[in-house]
Amino acid sequence: MNNSVVLLTGFEPFGGETTNPSWDAVRALADRDDGLRAVLLPCEFGSSLEVLRAAVAEHRPALVVATGLAGGRAGVTPERVAVNLDDARIPDNAGAQPIDVPVVPDGPAAYFTGLPVKACVAAVAAAGIPTSVSYTAGTFVCNHVFYGLMHLLATEHPGVRGGFVHVPYAPEQVADRPDVPSLPLATTVDALEIIVRTSLATTADLPITAGHLH
């Protein structure tokens, strides 16, 4: 893509699933380009940020795009806001279930993404792939990593940009649930590639609406 290293992260399976398309997609995308590094994060509150911190230190990226699964969403959704809150509806893969605790004690209430999310969504949509800007990354490990990433970059790597993207189920995960939306893995990979390219090429986001009424 260019001479800059881009760090991609995805999660291991969780919640009884046997696969996680976030990891499958970033691993496949990294195979397309020598400038991309893919790192698997544990779906655990306790260790996910430790693995992320080590990956950033090792690879010294110019851009970090973390990804996770948002089962039930129909498209690829770049996240705009990370909140300083863990409130787990289910236990993580280590059995931890924090309720109403901060990701970072005494940290800011929230961080905005460092990605040009509107430009990314416009580019993905132009390729005919379902997409939208999301304003909630939930309160499980995805948001934990998103907030932790933005705090890490703000406090220790201010020259590095980063953000988080949620991806839908892969079709095989919902083969017995035809009413649940999914996206072929190859399409998710294409969308993430567009997001990376757009983020590398764009620093000022597009002045277009991507707001929600609710």
Side-chain angles (χ1 to χ4, degrees):
M1 294 182 178
N2 63 21
N3 293 326
S4 300
V5 172
V6 177
L7 176 63
L8 308 171
T9 73
F11 282 107
E12 65 184 359
F14 71 97
E17 297 288 342
T18 59
T19 188
N20 191 319
S22 68
W23 171 240
D24 295 339
V26 298
R27 181 174 52 180
L29 179 54
D31 287 341
R32 295 184 178 180
D33 193 297
D34 290 340
L36 303 178
R37 304 289 186 271
V39 173
L40 176 65
L41 299 183
C43 190
E44 300 176 8
F45 289 98
S47 59
S48 56
L49 294 183
E50 296 172 5
V51 176
L52 177 63
R53 175 186 290 274
V56 171
E58 176 184 356
H59 297 294
R60 303 178 65 84
L63 178 72
V64 183
V65 179
T67 71
L69 169 64
R73 292 189 186 178
V76 175
T77 51
E79 298 292 343
R80 196 168 190 186
V81 184
V83 297
N84 192 14
L85 177 66
D86 291 335
D87 190 7
R89 183 176 59 82
I90 61 174
D92 69 8
N93 284 359
Q97 192 173 3
I99 297 173
D100 294 343
V101 298
V103 180
V104 178
D106 301 320
Y111 282 105
F112 284 113
T113 183
L115 305 181
V117 290
K118 293 182 177 181
C120 289
V121 164
V124 173
I129 301 172
T131 184
S132 62
V133 175
S134 172
Y135 291 84
T136 176
T139 54
F140 195 52
V141 186
C142 286
N143 176 76
H144 182 86
V145 164
F146 183 17
Y147 184 94
L149 169 64
M150 301 315 298
H151 187 74
L152 174 65
L153 299 185
T155 57
E156 299 183 31
H157 304 277
V160 179
R161 293 189 299 146
F164 195 95
V165 180
H166 265 123
V167 303
Y169 282 127
E172 61 269 23
Q173 292 180 280
V174 294
D176 59 344
R177 294 174 286 169
D179 57 322
V180 177
S182 64
L183 206 60
L185 185 66
T187 304
T188 297
V189 175
D190 289 343
L192 292 177
E193 183 174 25
I194 292 168
I195 288 170
V196 170
R197 289 184 180 276
T198 302
S199 297
L200 288 172
T202 307
T203 54
D205 208 355
L206 294 179
I208 59 176
T209 184
H212 299 178
L213 292 179
H214 51 76

